[in-house]
Amino acid sequence: MKSFEFYSPTRVIFGRDAADSIGSVAAAYGKKALLVYGRNSIKKSGLHGRIIKSLTDTGIEVIEHSGVSANPQLSHTLDGAGLAKDAGVDFIIAAGGGSVIDESKGIAVGACTDEDLWKYYARELVIEKALPVLAVQTLPATSSETNQAAVLTNDKTGDKYSIRSPLIVPAVAFLDPVLTFTIPVQYTAYACFDIMTHLLEGYFTTTEKFAPVHDGFVEGMVKAVMKSLEVILEKPDDYDARASVMWAGALAWNGLCNAGLEGASIPCHIIEHPISGLYDIAHGAGLAAVVPAFLRYKKDELSSRILKFGKDVLMMDGRPDCEAVISAYESWIKKIGCPLSMRELGIENPDIDTMTEQAVTLAAQWGASGYNADDFRAVYNSCV
């Protein structure tokens, strides 16, 4: 195990009606907040009114910035940053899924600088200041409520890049599983696959020969998500299953599962980001199409890890080979209603050259060595 530093400062308030305490908690961060959310879902659910009441009862003034898209856009983030600056807000409240929280982090940075915000995502500038972010998670998937990363799409170029900084880790995360009851089961499946991929990418790509803590954590979490999702598909309002997914979503990508893990990388996220950036599809759905293709392409190199996954996660009997394990995983992906190809994603003629170019750029930005344009192009062609 290599040396590492793990930093997880987020205060998590978990349980029924967790968001109702937001006013008393937020009072420590100032008197004026920018509330960031998507379109109408938090109003239909009543969450919007509950947040507003809790904040105003505590004497906090609320400015609203709505309309965040599923793949948050640079132009909308700049609008939010401008609004936050003009209003002089003290902190940001993100009420929504990972997209809303990611955009809120971008707004938090943009409100504290006069520089071109995209330069932070292009890794041309280093974040030096950001407003505090409080997150009310409604669609667990990305761990954005507990981590130091945020993804954004440049709607002029289609590039989907990210920022990373301890300054954008949410100060507080409010996690109420009841808020996830109304998520359509299809999007729950996409979210769960995203959670699983966060856990599994380092598991598949690590070069560690002995990693029982990491392996045990990942295998247990992945099996828990799979089991919980299967319950949700039958009973969408099962509290314990929804709670399990919500907690797994907060832990999967907060830095814990790959801490100190030699060789761990995230090639499937590198490959998927250009797909959802260019074609505005659900990130988890894109990952479902990418992961089996990547495993099949790299099966000789990753054979021991793939076989371990088959034995210890999929619980396959006998001595299956890598192809059998990948096929079994594909069967489960199909069972939960996720796509397995570009065509099933609704992309008939993907621009593989542009996606490959973007993937190469991301690999360089994220320090993912060992992958080149030929690798990315081969996986994209397999996804077609």
Side-chain angles (χ1 to χ4, degrees), residues 72-105:
Q73 306 291 302
L74 174 62
S75 59
H76 194 261
T77 305
L78 291 172
D79 290 343
L83 184 59
K85 275 185 182 179
D86 293 342
V89 303
D90 301 307
F91 60 98
I92 313 293
I93 295 176
S99 298
V100 170
I101 301 171
D102 278 6
E103 179 166 321
S104 295
K105 291 176 178 180

Side-chain angles (χ1 to χ4, degrees), residues 26-227:
Y29 297 93
K31 288 293 185 181
K32 186 179 288 189
L34 180 70
L35 175 61
V36 181
Y37 56 97
R39 292 181 172 84
N40 295 316
S41 60
I42 72 165
K43 290 187 175 181
K44 290 180 179 177
S45 71
L47 176 62
H48 176 272
R50 288 163 56 194
I51 291 174
I52 294 294
K53 183 178 187 306
S54 183
L55 292 169
T56 55
D57 284 353
T58 319
I60 295 173
E61 182 183 350
V62 183
I63 313 299
E64 299 188 32
H65 179 60
S66 62
V68 178
S69 59
N71 286 293
Q73 306 291 302
L74 174 62
S75 59
H76 194 261
T77 305
L78 291 172
D79 290 343
L83 184 59
K85 275 185 182 179
D86 293 342
V89 303
D90 301 307
F91 60 98
I92 313 293
I93 295 176
S99 298
V100 170
I101 301 171
D102 278 6
E103 179 166 321
S104 295
K105 291 176 178 180
I107 291 171
V109 174
C112 295
T113 183
D114 293 324
E115 299 285 355
D116 177 358
L117 181 61
W118 188 248
K119 288 186 177 180
Y120 294 97
Y121 289 84
R123 308 295 170 96
E124 296 173 18
L125 293 175
V126 177
I127 297 170
E128 296 181 351
K129 187 177 181 181
L131 293 177
V133 176
L134 281 64
V136 182
Q137 177 62 272
T138 64
L139 179 57
T142 66
S143 299
S144 191
E145 67 272 28
T146 58
N147 71 20
Q148 57 180 308
V151 175
L152 195 65
T153 297
N154 186 323
D155 34 336
K156 290 184 178 180
T157 65
D159 292 325
K160 187 174 181 178
Y161 292 170
S162 65
I163 49 174
R164 294 184 65 85
S165 170
L167 296 174
I168 61 172
V169 180
V172 187
F174 301 85
L175 307 182
D176 179 357
V178 176
L179 297 177
T180 68
F181 283 6
T182 56
I183 300 171
V185 292
Q186 190 60 75
Y187 279 88
T188 301
Y190 295 160
C192 285
F193 196 82
D194 191 8
I195 294 169
M196 290 167 59
T197 306
H198 288 150
L199 291 161
L200 286 168
E201 286 218 75
Y203 175 91
F204 283 127
T205 59
T206 182
T207 55
E208 291 276 5
K209 301 300 182 184
F210 183 77
V213 173
H214 296 86
D215 288 349
F217 176 81
V218 168
E219 290 166 359
M221 290 279 283
V222 170
K223 287 191 286 187
V225 173
M226 293 174 76
K227 183 176 182 179

